[in-house]
Amino acid sequence: MDISLPKIFFPVAYCIAAIFMEVNCTAEDSAKFASTVDQTFLADHDGTKQKYVVMTPTEMVEGKPVSVLIVLHGHGSDRWQFVQQSRGECRAARDVALEHRMLLVSPDYRAPTSWMGPAAEADLVQIIQILKETYNVQRIILSGGSMGGTGALTFSARHPEMIDGVVSLNGTANLVEYERFQDAIATSFGGSKALVPDEYRKRSAEFYPMKFTMPLAATTGGKDEVVPAASVLRLVDQVQKHNSNVLSIHRKEGGHSTTYADSKQAFEFVIQATASKSE
């Protein structure tokens, strides 16, 4: 086990089962939030109807400043993954949102095979704009698991001015070298690596470490064969050269998942590191 610490340190909620996901959502889980609302918007990118879920914490006062935790689902899932699943990453996200009275926002971002291509990226930009128009947003923390962890890194590298903190759970930072899910990624990116190589490079966070001036936490597993850890570890190493607010939790024996405890630590690190902005 290796843990690299930073150099310096409304309506009644509900549960809806969805395909492509392991669901274990109880009434008690939902009741902890004041409301869980499925939102629809017309995408500026192509005019299609797109969706995201907003979970509102209790005791939230309209007009008062609020922080937002955006969670991006993994490959094959959709916006309900972080809302409903019982896996450690999802429970940790819900718990920290409740504890810190944050809005929990879970976009489809072109589910189920998003990979933060142009359409997914445009949708997330639009969702953030909607959130800022709707709420008195203090800070936005972007996170996700697997494909979502990749997407969080990609979006933050491309739009660092929109993101105050990043939590990547078992993602990749290099889509040029990544070999899994190539058909889905090619569909999302508008072509294969051979056809649109620049698209793969500009969505690979590893090539843009200087964009990561915000607090960053990343979890990786040494035995992760679905999304190998190497590129994220390299990115973290480069970011730490100019950014002291970086936490890397690397489990040598870990696979393609992050425990509740490690997920919670990653979320808490970034929330605390960005706290000064909201005070």
Side-chain angles (χ1 to χ4, degrees):
M1 176 190 76
D2 291 338
I3 298 181
S4 176
L5 294 173
K7 294 177 179 177
I8 306 175
F9 186 82
F10 325 147
V12 176
Y14 56 85
C15 292
I16 299 178
I19 58 173
F20 301 119
M21 55 193 298
E22 167 195 342
V23 177
N24 182 7
C25 184
T26 65
E28 183 180 356
D29 292 332
S30 293
K32 294 176 183 177
F33 287 86
S35 66
T36 299
V37 179
D38 197 17
Q39 301 281 13
T40 302
F41 67 99
L42 198 63
D44 292 338
H45 180 75
D46 57 8
T48 59
K49 289 183 179 180
Q50 299 297 324
K51 292 180 175 292
Y52 63 99
V53 178
V54 178
M55 302 184 81
T56 304
T58 57
E59 300 181 20
M60 178 178 160
V61 179
E62 185 176 357
K64 292 289 186 180
V66 64
S67 294
V68 180
L69 176 60
I70 298 176
V71 286
L72 303 178
H73 62 80
H75 179 96
S77 194
D78 62 14
R79 65 192 182 282
W80 296 105
Q81 183 180 51
F82 271 88
V83 175
Q84 297 177 332
Q85 277 194 16
S86 60
R87 59 186 295 139
E89 300 98 322
C90 303
R91 289 190 297 112
R94 294 194 297 266
D95 284 353
V96 297
L98 284 168
E99 291 167 14
H100 294 276
R101 298 179 183 175
M102 305 174 74
L103 284 173
L104 185 68
V105 177
S106 183
D108 258 351
Y109 76 112
R110 305 294 167 136
T113 55
S114 311
W115 290 102
M116 202 51 73
E121 178 187 351
D123 286 355
L124 188 50
V125 168
Q126 189 174 351
I127 289 170
I128 290 173
Q129 291 170 341
I130 293 170
L131 291 170
K132 289 184 174 181
E133 292 169 0
T134 307
Y135 304 97
N136 182 3
V137 175
Q138 278 182 315
R139 55 178 167 167
I140 291 179
I141 295 174
L142 181 60
S143 65
S146 188
M147 177 182 76
T150 301
L153 293 175
T154 297
F155 189 88
S156 298
R158 292 185 57 74
H159 301 277
E161 75 286 352
M162 301 186 78
I163 302 302
D164 300 296
V166 191
V167 179
S168 175
L169 309 171
N170 298 102
T172 183
N174 192 318
L175 289 153
V176 173
E177 69 179 20
Y178 187 59
E179 296 296 337
R180 298 290 299 270
F181 307 110
Q182 289 303 293
D183 288 346
I185 295 174
T187 299
S188 177
F189 287 12
S192 66
K193 294 178 185 180
L195 288 175
V196 289
D198 289 346
E199 202 68 44
Y200 288 75
R201 184 176 180 84
K202 72 182 182 181
R203 298 186 184 283
S204 297
E206 182 180 359
F207 298 120
Y208 309 98
M210 296 305 294
K211 297 289 187 178
F212 290 87
T213 57
M214 71 292 285
L216 165 67
T219 66
T220 49
K223 293 187 176 180
D224 188 346
E225 296 181 356
V226 179
V227 184
S231 66
V232 170
L233 294 176
R234 294 193 301 261
L235 172 65
V236 166
D237 182 65
Q238 291 301 309
V239 174
Q240 284 179 324
K241 293 178 179 179
H242 66 267
N243 182 354
S244 62
N245 286 316
V246 178
L247 172 66
S248 174
I249 302 176
H250 179 67
R251 303 294 183 182
K252 288 182 178 180
E253 300 301 314
H256 189 58
S257 65
T258 301
T259 65
Y260 175 88
D262 285 348
S263 300
K264 190 91 180 305
Q265 183 182 356
F267 283 121
E268 290 287 359
F269 172 80
V270 172
I271 289 170
Q272 294 302 324
T274 57
S276 60
K277 181 177 179 179
S278 63
E279 293 174 350

